[in-house]
Amino acid sequence: MSEEPKPDAKAPAAKAAPAKKTFPPAKFNEKAGRLLKTTRYWPTELWANPWNKPSYRRGALLLGGIILGLLATGAAVGELAVWGDRLYAWLLAFISARGGSPVLAQGIWAVFKGLLVLHVILLNGLWAVWWERKISAHIQSRVGPVYAGGFHGWAQTICDGIKLLLKEDITPAASDAWVHALAPAIVVVPVVAAFAPVSFGRQLAAANLDVGVLYVFAMAGISVIGIVMAGWASGNKYSLLGGLRACAQLVSYELPRGFSIVPVLMFAGSLNISAIAAAQAGYKWGFLPRWFIFYPVVGQLAFLIFLIASIAETNRTPFDIPEAESELVSGFHTEYSGMKWSIFFLSEYGYVLLASFLLAAFFLGGGASPFAFDHLIPSWIWMLGKAMLMMFLFLWARWTFPRLRADQLMDFNWKFLLPWSFANIALAGVWLLLS
Amino acid sequence: MSSTAEKTMKTDSMFINLGPQHPSTHGVLRVGLTIEGELITKAVPDIGYLHRGTSKLAEVRGYHHCVVLTDRWDYVAAMPNNLVFCLAAEKLMEVQAPPRAEALRVLMCELNRVASHLLFFGTYGIDIGAFTPFLYAFREREMILDLFEMACGARLTYNYIRLGGVMADVPPEWLAKCREFVDYFKPRIDEYDTLLTYNPIFMARTKEVGLIPAADAVSWSLSGANLRGSGVCYDVRKSDPYCGYERYSFDVPLGQTGSCWDRYFCRVQEMRQSIRIIEQVLGGLPEGPTMAAGVAKIPKPKPGEAYAHVEGARGDLGIFLVSDGQASPYRMHVRAPSFLNLAILQELLVGNKVSDVIAILGSIDIVLGEVDR
Amino acid sequence: MADIEELASRIAEKLPELSRHPNPVKGYLTLKLEDAAKLPQAAAALKALGFDYLEMISATDWLGAVKPEGYIRNPNPIVFLPEGATPQSVPSATPGFPYRPSFELLWAFADLAAKAWVFLKCEVSREAASVPSLSGLYKGADWQERELFDLMGIRFEGHPNLAKILTPDFLVGHPLRKDYVHVKDRFDE
């Protein structure tokens, strides 16, 4: 080691006056012009009683106004089923007058109803995406889309839809092209078909099927084939894992989902969805609706199991292991883009809507009003409101829970949900015996 | 199994690449996984995608310039990187930072630790599938970054801690803002506990997963929350105090089993302790200069070797500096905690499920900039 | 932190062959290992003494000033210097400094319970740079030795998987050696 003292370490210290060596900080910062003078808006400022802000009060008023306006519109329109009957009568008269057979009128009417159901699903896609984005945003202390369309970003999903239509449709080189293209169709067709017997209000269903419940579950079960096809045909190992996971999960959760509504079927004595809703009409003690969810223990247990199994069936968090963005990079639809991808999305939201309407019909009295004194607001408004409430439960769960692991998911199904749904059937039997 | 089934069925293990482009590898890490079904039989971490050779670059740069290089290792918590280089260089140059500068260094490092653990908290939630905590964590992290921007003009790579002190004193309104943040942040940690820590699904995913026994953790040279999660009490701030850490009272949170949850919980608890330290620093911030007198523009320290280490956000961050009397360090070796923490992955992943890979990888809390340097 | 002299006497009882290094790491107990082959025994004895945590493995190439040809671009520490201008400082050797063609390896062991650190230095020649591996004793040595092998070209005998770890496969040479010369590849432009 050299022993000589460092010349340049000591010399400046000797020259500069040590007392005046302090930095002039604030001045230096301002001159440099690069530094933040003060912080940006902090939550501490933003959260100081939002009701003091006029914009917040205006927004609350507006929201109340929108809800009241919807109710008033519903009351003015009246029962949709009545309008439908009038329209069909007019169609029948029109075709008979032109010398056509009633079969033709029935055919046109069936196509019309089919198109209506299809549009319910498409519009639901637009609505649900926007709604989910807004709800997730507010759960996460954000605001979500605000620009597109002007009012709370209402046009956001329309713009997204246009974007998705214009996006390049990519078929990976390693994929099985035909199966890859076919999979979205096989996923989405059963959703549309499954909506046939679903009641949207009193007497408001595309088809009044006597085996409606069985039909819906049978149709919903088909989609898993499409998902496995998508996973396989993508030629991607992650997609394959996702597809296989989806297969195991969907097939397993069919069981508790099916068994959980057996008590409902026992109470209602019918498999027709409209009949099940109708069986819950009336009020106990003059004010408590006779909805199945209000049946002590049996009703709530069945509701919860059906809700959980429905969340699992729709591949949503906490049961989204087939998609599992952070593990499988979106699983079976990793290799899909553009419209093919959005069809997967559409069918997912379609299933959420289906489950919401089923929940409303099975447990919440369908289109029945919760108030005994209310005769004004039509059944379809109530049905829609209840379905949206159920949909909110789906979204709420999605943005609140972490994801389960595949084996925990199976454990939960086979060791918890399924035994309890069996026990619930026994409970329902006891209930029927006693009452 | 019948003989025909044996003939027609062929089971094979599958090799999948986790990364380098994957949402959960937190950077450009590649892990080659051999899986049987969902079970992992072999895991080979592959690093080096972000290797920039800062040790080599330091050999032709002056000491002041090297501070800039340090920012780029652990870019999530760059203050401790600045600090450790400055400590090592100050040992070589025989310079001591003034008390106010030391207090500011502690303050910034602890704020940065909170910011870094917040990032971990958020991304770990995403790894497990909970998206919401991420936004909550970032809301608070943003406030800390605002504070840093007020103090030094940068939000990620600060270059704030310099040889002999800090770049500049904080602006006058900064201390009030920092107190405001501390008051705001303290109840938020309890909120995080309700959001994620004690969530039954989260606990089911992370408890009993990725267990590291204490002996293994020591043998693998783990540090930071990964070591303390296994119950080994080693915190450089306590064991080898620097910058006057011995003056502040704080606890070292320890885990029990070394599971993912324990590591996670250690970090959440460390945020509380960091806030404790910040409060103490704010309570007794000494007046005076923020830069030591006599730091040369082009320092040429006497030949010698120095080792300094600090408790970075990810563990024991050390620097070994050699000077031969020239204006550049003759040799700079970085003891990067992420690099050493990541090495255990090859042993830890085997026997777990694919979903657990993400949980374990996230709980190790690596920053690839520091792994590759 | 434990007192250095007390620590030194404690270690000297068990390991008399380790002498105090004349050129220590500042502030830490630094011991000198004469023969690299004796490293496993010394490390095992240190481990038995409680130094069960391998903090760091490092190495210094004492050849001399670093070669500018080892860099992809001409090292220019002055950022605002115009393109093509002569850099202000070029790596140069200090007159009278004992440069020598050898690697000096450095191991840092820690006793976490006693809060004690001990640094072990050992010099090996540049031509046959090879020392025994510690990966059997300390698992943490695995990647650190691979890193040193990759960047310095020191072979660690007995390492289970002594492969490149940080630099790309096509990179020729060991960049942290002072005489490293960079061979241009397709990623340089």
Side-chain angles (χ1 to χ4, degrees), chain C residues 150 164 167-175 180-185:
Chain C
D150 189 2
K164 282 190 157 214
T167 58
D169 294 341
F170 52 79
L171 191 100
V172 186
H174 306 286
Y180 169 75
V181 174
H182 183 71
V183 182
K184 278 210 186 294
D185 56 57

Side-chain angles (χ1 to χ4, degrees), chain B residues 279-295:
Chain B
E279 279 183 322
Q280 291 171 47
V281 179
L282 285 176
L285 194 63
E287 292 298 323
T290 55
M291 181 60 89
V295 179

Side-chain angles (χ1 to χ4, degrees), chain B residues 45-48 51 55-57 59-62 65 91-92 94 216-223 227 232-234 238-241 303-309 316 320 322-326 330-331 333-335 339-340 342-343 346-347 371-373, chain C residues 1 23-26 28 52-66 70-71 75 77-78 89 91-95 97 99 104 106 112 115 117 119 121 137-140 142-144 147-148 151-152 165-167 175-178 180:
Chain B
D46 181 8
I47 63 171
H51 178 60
S55 299
K56 180 86 176 164
L57 292 176
E59 288 173 13
V60 285
R61 273 158 178 77
H65 300 125
K91 273 187 189 175
L92 281 179
E94 287 158 0
D216 269 10
V218 171
S219 179
W220 274 104
S221 301
L222 300 191
S223 52
L227 184 61
V232 182
C233 181
Y234 172 52
K238 287 276 188 201
S239 303
D240 194 1
E305 302 173 11
Y307 179 72
H309 56 164
D316 177 359
F320 174 61
V322 180
S323 164
D324 65 342
Q326 285 296 317
Y330 185 73
R331 167 87 167 102
H333 179 88
V334 192
R335 186 229 187 257
F339 177 71
L340 290 168
L342 187 64
Q346 46 192 316
E347 193 179 271
V371 173
D372 297 341
R373 281 154 292 156
Chain C
M1 231 183 113
N23 194 2
V25 177
K26 283 190 180 178
Y28 292 98
D52 52 357
Y53 187 81
L54 180 65
E55 170 118 0
M56 179 187 72
I57 308 177
S58 177
T60 312
D61 182 3
W62 283 120
L63 189 67
V66 66
Y71 293 85
I78 310 298
S89 75
S92 56
T94 310
F97 190 84
Y99 298 111
E104 191 171 60
L106 179 76
L112 300 185
K115 302 178 181 176
W117 277 264
F119 285 70
K121 274 188 176 183
L137 272 172
Y138 301 90
K139 288 175 179 171
D142 182 349
W143 276 23
Q144 301 198 60
E147 185 196 352
L148 280 186
L151 300 179
M152 299 285 267
I165 187 165
L166 285 177
T167 58
L176 278 186
R177 288 193 174 198
K178 294 288 178 184
Y180 169 75

Side-chain angles (χ1 to χ4, degrees), chain B residues 117 120 124 128 193 196-198 202-214 217 223-232 252-271 359-360 362-365:
Chain B
H117 286 352
F120 161 78
Y124 198 47
I128 303 294
D193 284 350
L196 199 58
T197 311
Y198 296 113
F202 179 73
M203 285 170 90
R205 281 294 305 276
T206 51
K207 281 210 161 181
E208 315 292 323
V209 170
L211 296 178
I212 306 178
S223 52
N226 300 317
L227 184 61
R228 293 192 285 271
S230 303
V232 182
V252 179
L254 293 181
Q256 275 147 13
T257 57
S259 65
C260 291
W261 192 83
D262 277 324
R263 292 191 279 278
Y264 161 87
F265 193 62
C266 275
R267 293 200 177 93
V268 174
Q269 296 299 96
E270 270 178 36
M271 286 201 269
I360 293 169
S363 75
I364 298 278
D365 188 23

Side-chain angles (χ1 to χ4, degrees), chain C residues 66-89:
Chain C
V66 66
K67 270 193 174 181
E69 292 82 19
Y71 293 85
I72 296 173
R73 278 180 214 90
N74 200 4
N76 184 358
I78 310 298
V79 184
F80 300 109
L81 213 62
E83 199 67 30
T86 324
Q88 300 273 308
S89 75

Side-chain angles (χ1 to χ4, degrees), chain A residues 73-118:
Chain A
T73 316
V77 168
E79 284 291 344
L80 278 184
V82 178
W83 288 95
D85 287 346
R86 276 183 208 156
L87 196 63
Y88 180 58
W90 177 80
L91 184 74
L92 201 61
F94 182 77
I95 288 184
S96 309
R98 300 289 161 102
S101 78
V103 180
L104 183 64
Q106 277 171 6
I108 292 176
W109 189 235
V111 169
F112 178 69
K113 285 199 287 192
L115 280 177
L116 267 185
V117 168
L118 191 63

Side-chain angles (χ1 to χ4, degrees), chain A residues 20-373:
Chain A
K20 287 192 115 186
K21 195 65 185 166
T22 50
F23 264 82
K27 212 172 170 187
F28 167 70
N29 292 353
E30 277 164 26
K31 260 193 182 168
R34 295 173 295 133
L35 305 192
L36 216 59
K37 295 279 163 42
T38 179
T39 50
R40 299 190 176 80
Y41 288 121
W42 276 14
T44 48
E45 298 153 36
L46 289 174
W47 286 2
N49 197 2
W51 285 102
N52 286 341
K53 279 195 289 186
S55 60
Y56 200 86
R57 290 201 298 264
R58 269 206 306 279
L61 264 179
L62 198 62
L63 196 63
I66 288 172
I67 291 170
L68 277 180
L70 276 178
L71 291 182
T73 316
V77 168
E79 284 291 344
L80 278 184
V82 178
W83 288 95
D85 287 346
R86 276 183 208 156
L87 196 63
Y88 180 58
W90 177 80
L91 184 74
L92 201 61
F94 182 77
I95 288 184
S96 309
R98 300 289 161 102
S101 78
V103 180
L104 183 64
Q106 277 171 6
I108 292 176
W109 189 235
V111 169
F112 178 69
K113 285 199 287 192
L115 280 177
L116 267 185
V117 168
L118 191 63
H119 280 85
V120 165
I121 294 169
L122 289 175
L123 283 178
N124 168 63
L126 287 183
W127 154 253
V129 170
W130 178 82
W131 206 40
E132 170 146 38
R133 287 177 75 164
K134 286 309 259 194
I135 285 175
S136 69
H138 285 276
I139 286 176
Q140 297 173 343
S141 77
R142 299 184 283 122
V143 289
V146 281
Y147 293 112
F151 179 74
H152 289 262
W154 65 269
Q156 185 65 46
T157 39
I158 298 176
C159 302
D160 278 354
I162 295 169
K163 180 201 76 176
L164 285 169
L165 276 172
L166 296 177
K167 268 177 102 165
E168 188 187 357
D169 179 31
I170 298 167
T171 307
S175 71
D176 190 338
W178 272 98
V179 184
H180 188 263
L182 201 59
I186 292 193
V187 172
V188 80
V189 166
V191 193
V192 185
F195 265 94
V198 171
S199 96
F200 295 100
R202 202 172 294 131
Q203 304 295 322
L204 195 67
N208 202 10
L209 278 184
D210 282 337
V211 289
V213 177
L214 286 182
Y215 172 82
V216 168
F217 287 160
M219 278 296 156
I222 295 176
S223 282
V224 67
I225 300 172
I227 289 178
V228 175
M229 280 167 69
W232 171 257
S234 293
N236 177 333
K237 289 168 184 170
Y238 285 103
S239 298
L240 181 59
L241 273 179
L244 294 180
R245 281 182 178 188
C247 183
Q249 175 183 338
L250 298 189
V251 170
S252 308
Y253 274 84
E254 292 272 309
L255 289 173
R257 200 186 187 206
F259 283 118
S260 67
I261 55 152
V262 170
V264 171
L265 305 181
M266 286 160 76
F267 294 146
S270 171
L271 281 169
N272 186 331
I273 294 176
S274 300
I276 292 172
Q280 305 173 52
Y283 300 90
K284 206 175 184 181
W285 308 313
F287 69 94
L288 187 70
R290 289 178 189 280
W291 299 351
F292 288 142
I293 194 176
F294 292 126
Y295 283 37
V297 186
V298 187
Q300 287 101 41
L301 203 58
F303 175 79
L304 273 180
I305 295 175
F306 189 77
L307 179 70
I308 293 171
S310 295
I311 294 177
E313 283 283 297
T314 47
N315 291 339
R316 294 174 80 79
T317 322
F319 305 103
D320 67 338
I321 57 156
E323 291 170 21
E325 192 177 332
S326 55
E327 296 157 22
L328 297 185
V329 209
S330 298
F332 59 87
H333 56 63
T334 307
E335 300 291 354
Y336 283 89
S337 65
M339 263 332 268
K340 280 186 197 158
W341 175 83
S342 47
I343 284 174
F344 277 116
F345 227 62
L346 208 62
S347 68
E348 184 183 319
Y349 280 112
Y351 275 123
V352 173
L353 188 74
L354 180 67
S356 309
F357 272 112
L358 289 184
L359 276 165
F362 290 158
F363 298 101
L364 301 179
S369 167
F371 311 113
F373 55 81

